[in-house]
Amino acid sequence: MSPADKPRQTAASGAALKGPKILAVASGKGGVGKTWFSVTLAHGLSRMGKKVLLFDADLGLANVDIQLGLMPQRDLGGVIGGRLSLAQAKIHYEDGNFDIIAGRSGSGSLATLPANRLQSLGNELVQLSDSYDRVVMDLGAGLDRTVRILASRAGQIVVVTTAEPTSLTDAYAFVKVAHQNDPNCDISIVVNSADSVNDGRKTYETLRKATMNFLKFEPALLGIIRRDRKVIESIRNQSPILSRFPSTMASTDMEAIVDKLL
């Protein structure tokens, strides 16, 4: 253990460790483009010269590897099974020049890990984050125990929503729980698949007013991503949109978000 690790180890015996470089991407509801956003964010940060790790923390329905057309020989299943450390499970994605720890799609049993194993996994991720400029953690949708524990390790949480009422309601629920767990947590909002920038702002305002009225808390607007058919096309082709369609609307909007995070 290096001297720099000692304060973290000590803190582990009390409050959960936090990784200031870890950015967790969350959504109250599935189907809002959370994983696509995580992949594109990791790629965008890498293109700006940052050393990035993309961690697929959707333990039950992981699909980062599917979106990128990868067939990793190592994944989170090996870590959960005790065969690999988290660092040993990472692979390098050459086309995007960032590292990935793939999840284990379809393994619902991973979502039932005991709390102490999840805490240990979170500790390991925080320590691994020291080797990167940014770690993008793609959480599962919803608010289950796994999501709450892993989200608590992030220094920043980005909640992705769309204009759909159920998406907004579930995004509010996630913000409420995250804020109650840590009132000082840095939480921001991304509105995805907006019909226009104005419509995206209206969606954000609806969520902002709800959080102000009921939580006395105002998450920042990180960005608006306009609806763009090239997103679906890039996913179908299993390639990052910033490479395949660098000038399309969604790419432009994502680059603006990346700029805010630099």
Side-chain angles (χ1 to χ4, degrees), residues 32 93 135 147 171 251:
V32 300
Y93 176 54
V135 173
V147 170
S251 291

Side-chain angles (χ1 to χ4, degrees), residues 7-18 119 123 152-153:
R8 292 174 177 272
Q9 295 281 338
T10 302
S13 61
L17 291 176
K18 266 192 181 297
Q119 295 286 1
N123 289 348
S152 71
R153 302 314 181 95

Side-chain angles (χ1 to χ4, degrees), residues 20-215:
K21 298 177 181 177
I22 300 176
L23 184 155
V25 181
S27 69
K29 178 180 178 299
V32 300
K34 174 180 57 59
T35 296
W36 173 83
F37 175 81
S38 299
V39 168
T40 310
L41 180 60
H43 188 206
L45 289 167
S46 172
R47 283 161 53 105
M48 297 304 291
K50 300 299 181 184
K51 185 179 180 183
V52 179
L53 171 67
L54 174 59
F55 175 49
D56 191 346
D58 191 343
L59 300 182
L61 296 169
N63 58 9
V64 162
D65 52 332
I66 295 171
Q67 288 208 11
L68 293 174
L70 303 174
M71 297 182 67
Q73 298 299 309
R74 305 183 299 277
D75 61 26
L76 196 53
V79 180
I80 302 303
R83 300 185 299 277
L84 301 171
S85 69
L86 210 52
Q88 290 171 331
K90 69 184 181 184
I91 59 173
H92 189 66
Y93 176 54
E94 294 290 347
D95 290 348
N97 193 29
F98 57 88
D99 289 344
I100 293 174
I101 296 176
R104 175 61 70 87
S105 185
S107 182
S109 62
L110 296 181
T112 62
L113 278 176
N116 63 333
R117 288 289 291 119
L118 283 171
Q119 295 286 1
S120 175
L121 186 67
N123 289 348
E124 200 173 347
L125 180 64
V126 170
Q127 291 174 354
L128 184 59
S129 70
D130 282 344
S131 302
Y132 292 90
D133 296 314
R134 280 282 186 166
V135 173
V136 177
M137 178 164 54
D138 181 26
L139 294 169
L143 276 165
D144 66 21
R145 177 184 58 106
T146 305
V147 170
R148 295 196 306 274
I149 289 176
L150 293 178
S152 71
R153 302 314 181 95
Q156 183 176 6
I157 297 176
V158 176
V159 179
V160 180
T161 186
T162 68
E164 290 182 12
T166 53
S167 172
L168 270 173
T169 302
D170 291 347
Y172 168 79
F174 189 96
V175 171
K176 178 181 178 180
V177 170
H179 180 64
Q180 288 177 340
N181 285 346
D182 180 3
N184 296 317
C185 185
D186 181 352
I187 304 174
S188 55
I189 305 297
V190 164
V191 180
N192 192 23
S193 298
D195 288 333
S196 68
V197 171
N198 281 341
D199 284 341
R201 289 193 179 281
K202 289 176 183 176
T203 298
Y204 167 71
E205 279 301 312
T206 300
L207 183 57
R208 187 190 68 81
K209 287 176 182 176
T211 58
M212 281 298 293
N213 288 338
F214 298 109
L215 307 178

